[in-house]
């Protein structure tokens, strides 16, 4: 009997220490002495960011990817977010679970920095949790899904593409996000179902499997629907 009772006792302890049921969020301002890092401290702050990462994580699991079963989720125990001084991008998600936000970008932003930063967080956090066909998914579709989260969260900035805009379905970012929104109108939960298919691979025919139409036809109908 002794080994059995040991296992019953030890299992919950193991679960809570390995972080299977909950994700931790770590925020580090490495640019705290730079103008952008100071703006981060004054206008956003670490407590807000840590809290918001949790809210966004829940939103991605429940609404965007609809992964209510933990076994469907990407195995992530914690997410690191760094405010770092670098140029050329607003933010970048790297490795399995790290996000860098540019202090230079934060410093240059004119307007409600906290709102803008939150919008960016929706995008980058999506990269942490979405499947990418083990690297086979076109990167512009990956970016489109990240912007689709922004759209669904009602955090689309003023310059975000309007429905029907864009030249190609895989143009990326907000253009692809609008197209995905259209696909969701044909098959509710489209992005969640598409993401699930991309766990191990990618194939353009996933569009047809979910909507009954090849992606080029979908795109043409999307453009026609909005009079373009
Ligand atoms: C992000 O910032 C961390 C912390 O400074 C750094 O170690 C890492 O190399 C950066 N990653 C990228 C992709 O720039
Ligand atoms: Zn991105």
């Amino acid at each position: 009997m002794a080994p059995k009772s040991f296992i019953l006792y030890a299992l919950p302890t193991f679960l809570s220490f390995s972080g299977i049921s909950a994700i931790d969020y770590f925020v580090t301002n490495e640019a705290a002495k730079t103008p952008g890092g100071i703006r981060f401290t004054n206008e956003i702050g670490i407590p807000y960011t840590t809290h918001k990462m949790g809210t966004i994580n829940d939103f991605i699991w429940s609404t965007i990817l609809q992964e209510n079963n933990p076994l469907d989720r990407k195995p992530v125990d914690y997410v690191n977010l760094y405010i770092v001084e670098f140029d050329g991008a607003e933010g970048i998600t790297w490795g399995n679970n790290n996000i860098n936000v540019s202090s230079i970008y934060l410093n240059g932003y004119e307007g409600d920095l906290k709102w803008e930063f939150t919008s960016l967080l929706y995008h980058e956090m999506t990269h942490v949790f979405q499947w990418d066909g083990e690297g086979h998914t076109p990167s512009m579709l990956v970016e489109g899904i990240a912007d689709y989260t922004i759209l669904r969260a009602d955090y689309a900035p003023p310059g975000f593409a309007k429905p029907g805009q864009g030249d190609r379905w895989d143009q990326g970012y907000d253009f692809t996000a609008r197209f995905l929104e259209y696909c969701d109108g044909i098959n509710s939960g489209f992005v969640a179902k598409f993401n699930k298919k991309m766990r191990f691979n990618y194939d353009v025919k996933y569009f047809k499997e979910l909507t009954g139409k090849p992606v080029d036809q979908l795109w043409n109908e999307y453009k026609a629907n909005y009079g373009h």
Side-chain angles (χ1 to χ4, degrees):
M1 283 307 291
K4 191 177 179 190
S5 55
F6 170 74
I7 287 169
L8 288 174
Y9 170 76
L11 191 59
T13 312
F14 164 76
L15 285 174
S16 62
F17 275 95
S18 65
I20 284 169
S21 55
I23 291 198
D24 290 318
Y25 311 99
F26 301 105
V27 179
T28 312
N29 185 356
E30 292 192 349
K33 292 194 171 72
T34 71
I38 291 167
R39 269 195 86 179
F40 172 81
T41 301
N42 292 341
E43 298 174 46
I44 304 165
I46 289 176
Y48 171 82
T49 304
T50 310
H51 173 76
K52 205 70 196 173
M53 287 169 83
T55 310
I56 292 171
N57 192 162
D58 288 344
F59 178 75
I60 290 169
W61 275 343
S62 66
T63 305
I64 302 300
L65 305 183
Q66 298 175 15
E67 293 174 333
N68 295 316
N69 181 349
L71 293 175
D72 291 336
R73 299 170 186 165
K74 222 165 110 176
V76 174
D77 292 339
Y78 57 93
V79 182
N80 294 314
L81 184 142
Y82 304 97
I83 308 297
V84 201
E85 196 165 30
F86 69 97
D87 225 340
E90 303 170 3
I92 180 168
T93 302
W94 57 284
N96 196 39
N97 55 348
N98 305 285
I99 298 169
N100 288 11
V101 175
S102 162
S103 61
I104 295 170
Y105 164 69
L106 295 178
N107 189 49
Y109 185 76
E110 291 171 18
D112 186 342
L113 187 65
K114 194 175 193 174
W115 190 93
E116 168 69 13
F117 175 79
T118 306
S119 179
L120 178 65
L121 264 190
Y122 274 101
H123 179 102
E124 302 299 340
M125 287 285 284
T126 303
H127 285 324
V128 173
F129 296 104
Q130 69 187 153
W131 296 114
D132 69 347
E134 296 193 343
H136 297 294
T137 303
S139 63
M140 287 300 106
L141 177 55
V142 171
E143 297 299 345
I145 291 173
D147 265 17
Y148 178 77
T149 304
I150 290 182
L151 187 58
R152 289 293 306 273
D154 223 0
Y155 267 93
F160 202 92
K162 302 283 176 278
Q165 281 189 339
D167 301 321
R168 294 190 327 272
W169 71 268
D170 59 351
Q171 197 166 338
Y173 298 94
D174 48 340
F175 297 108
T176 299
R178 284 297 186 186
F179 177 61
L180 295 171
E181 179 184 46
Y182 172 78
C183 294
D184 186 70
I186 296 173
N187 182 345
S188 177
F190 176 87
V191 168
K193 292 168 189 171
F194 207 106
N195 178 69
K196 198 168 196 167
K197 284 176 175 289
M198 293 192 294
R199 183 159 188 163
F200 301 110
N201 214 337
Y202 169 79
D203 197 312
V204 72
K205 74 173 191 275
Y206 295 162
F207 280 96
K208 189 171 182 199
E209 289 172 8
L210 290 172
T211 66
K213 295 166 186 179
V215 70
D216 291 335
Q217 185 186 344
L218 275 174
W219 177 258
N220 289 338
E221 291 180 5
Y222 167 67
K223 295 296 284 183
N225 188 57
Y226 289 100
H228 292 279

